[in-house]
Amino acid sequence: MSSLLRKIAAGSSKVFRRALLKRRKTDGTYEADWLDISKYVLKYGKVGSSIDAEYVGKIAFNAPKLVVSNFDGEFNDETEYSSLWFGYSARQRSIVKIEAGYVHETLSASGAWTVTEFPTNSSLFVGIIGGDILQGESDQITLDLKPLTEVFRQYPASNLTGFSTTGISASQFVQILRDHTDGSGNLIFRPFFGNTTTNFVIVTTTTLYPFLNTATNAELIEKDVWEVIEKLSIAEQYAPFVGGDGKFYFVPKSYNTTTAFNFSGLGYIDGTYGHTIKKIDSYGPRGSKYYSRVQVKFVDANTTSSYVFLESALVATGSNAPWYYGQKTFNLENLWIQSSATAQTIAQTLFNELSAIKNELKITTSFVPHLTILDKVTVDYRSTPALPESLWDAYNWADDSTINPTNVLYWDSSRGNSIILNGEEFDILAQDHDIDNFESSFHLRRQ
Amino acid sequence: MEFLTKSHLVTSTMIVINSNTTVAENIMLRDKRQQYISSGFNNDLTSTTIQINFDSTLAVSRIALIGINWKSFRVYYNGATASTFALTTTAATTTSNWSTNSETSMFLSATEVNCTSVSIDILSTQLADSEKVLGYLYVGSLLNDFDRIPSANNFTPTIAPKQQAHTLSDGSTRINTVSDKMSAKIKLKYIDASFRNELKATYDLREDFVFVAFPTTTGWDEFMFPCVWPGAFDGYTFSDNAAVSGFNISIDLKETLP
């Protein structure tokens, strides 16, 4: 019986990758079925996403540039007979899905092949064609794919409807954009997300935002929908992102609580998850993400009551973090935070995270397609058998008449770059999948 | 050793089949693991038919069946079961009609007929009462029949995988395989101008075609693939100083999608 984990752990596995297309029909709706365009693809590129990876609050998506063969003009303008879009609407904002994973094939006695793909949902990226589609003389075209969040960027928040005079909550805001229409009953955003409400995963919030009372509120008038979502997410400590499965998630950062995978490498044998780490790109405490002080501004006026501060006291001792990392302030200004108490909660959450020195780990692995940001993982890696505890050799020639492992001959083979990780728990801040080379990379932060 | 026309089966809409139509197009792909399998026909008393309809009348003299589990079946044209193909190579039958087949692949060379459809009635399976399967179907005709085969040194058939190898942190290697692709390098010496010109005609088509190395109805090695012929045509190179000695040619074939 095969499984995804067995395929990941196996020394040799068969893999697959597909690029699929949904064109917009002339009536403005999307075709029902995916068109497989894999045979035209020359280069897939990388797909990925990150949250808080470079700095706190930053959510980014790595969308691939799909290089396709255009020998017979399949990717030309929709007015050309040879184009895949002939008879359809413009190429821009066509939906593209990239799937990749492992394949298990077995031949039965009757001659029938059973072909099973892993993971069950092998979608790694769903996005739209954006940017210019330019032709050269190489018979190749590069499709500049954008993450689905782009459809939120391309719509002004002031065009939304469904606000309440008393304001609405963040989750209600996501609901109104989920259900938003052009005024004639045609949904604006939902068609990009499988045209179903179930592809909007929304965890309910309760705080009402008075700014969200009318579409013409000054706080909305110059913002696009994504900017509003980002503001709300910071205020709620939520993560808004499009999963590889094409669903839109508006969930707390603590959404995933179970350990999804164990990465293992040198010096550890893992019979379940296999040896997946190719190399450790970097490991260590991220002092650059350390802040001894958090300042949250939630009211526009420059008065003391507009701010909430939390800080670690600086004491000039050898064990005081502000003393050896410096007193650094993390500033967050979000006028959508509704009360001092809420600001205090946010500041406390940020302070707990930022004032602790945590190790971060960047690894390159073999293809591990099913993980996503916010997932929790563990790591086992033991680059040397002994801890590098002393410059002067921890284990010396000694009396062997007594059984004492610290007192017998033991040659310390540890090196300066020894990394010892014993099932340590990390959160995934960022991930990238190189679809051309079936290689993954992860940026992890200690829990 | 033969060059064949591109398969007449080029779109899934040409296929008429009794069941499981969504996987019917798999028979166009050389990878026999992506197969057509019937649904609800796992009974030797219930036959199923695969029919390929052409847009126009086409010549058919070569049919390849790869990845089959059929015991009793017949292949015929124009929808008339009596219109079986007359096989020109040694086979268990002289017409394309089998009652106790045990082969899982076979290449049929037949007297050429012009027809508008080719049908296959599958009556029973080698393991009784199984669903009927077909991995790859080729229907077409001959372009070039090599009047002699190259020497062993001058024929290099290859099945090359598209792979990524990962060197893991402990030095071990993991391999991911995307697909296997066939290729062949053929060198011929002392060929006459007539055969050289036949090959040139195929080269000049500037279209993909099909290569089959050693076609046979029994014990076939299945080395056959839709291919392209990239690079130069060097068949005008004299084999020796005397022009009557003929010409040398190098052919490098790469697998393409059907």
Side-chain angles (χ1 to χ4, degrees), chain A residues 124-137:
Chain A
L124 285 177
F125 173 83
V126 184
I128 56 173
I129 295 176
D132 298 322
I133 305 173
L134 303 174
Q135 291 173 246
E137 292 184 343

Side-chain angles (χ1 to χ4, degrees), chain A residues 325-402:
Chain A
Y325 280 108
Q327 274 196 306
K328 296 193 298 181
T329 301
F330 181 82
N331 289 299
L332 173 67
E333 179 175 322
N334 189 328
L335 306 186
W336 292 29
I337 298 168
Q338 291 307 296
S339 67
S340 174
T342 306
Q344 185 76 31
T345 302
I346 293 170
Q348 188 67 56
T349 303
L350 287 171
F351 183 76
N352 292 345
E353 180 64 25
L354 301 177
S355 65
I357 303 296
K358 292 188 175 181
N359 286 337
E360 289 191 359
L361 174 67
K362 289 184 179 179
I363 52 175
T364 302
T365 71
S366 54
F367 191 46
V368 184
H370 66 297
L371 300 177
T372 186
I373 53 174
L374 302 185
D375 273 345
K376 298 185 183 303
V377 296
T378 52
V379 179
D380 277 292
Y381 191 93
R382 294 149 203 188
S383 58
T384 58
L387 290 169
E389 291 176 338
S390 169
L391 284 175
W392 314 108
D393 194 357
Y395 307 106
N396 300 314
W397 296 93
D399 180 6
D400 60 358
S401 60
T402 58

Side-chain angles (χ1 to χ4, degrees), chain B residues 84-95:
Chain B
T84 52
F85 290 90
L87 303 183
T88 57
T89 53
T90 306
T93 68
T94 55
T95 60

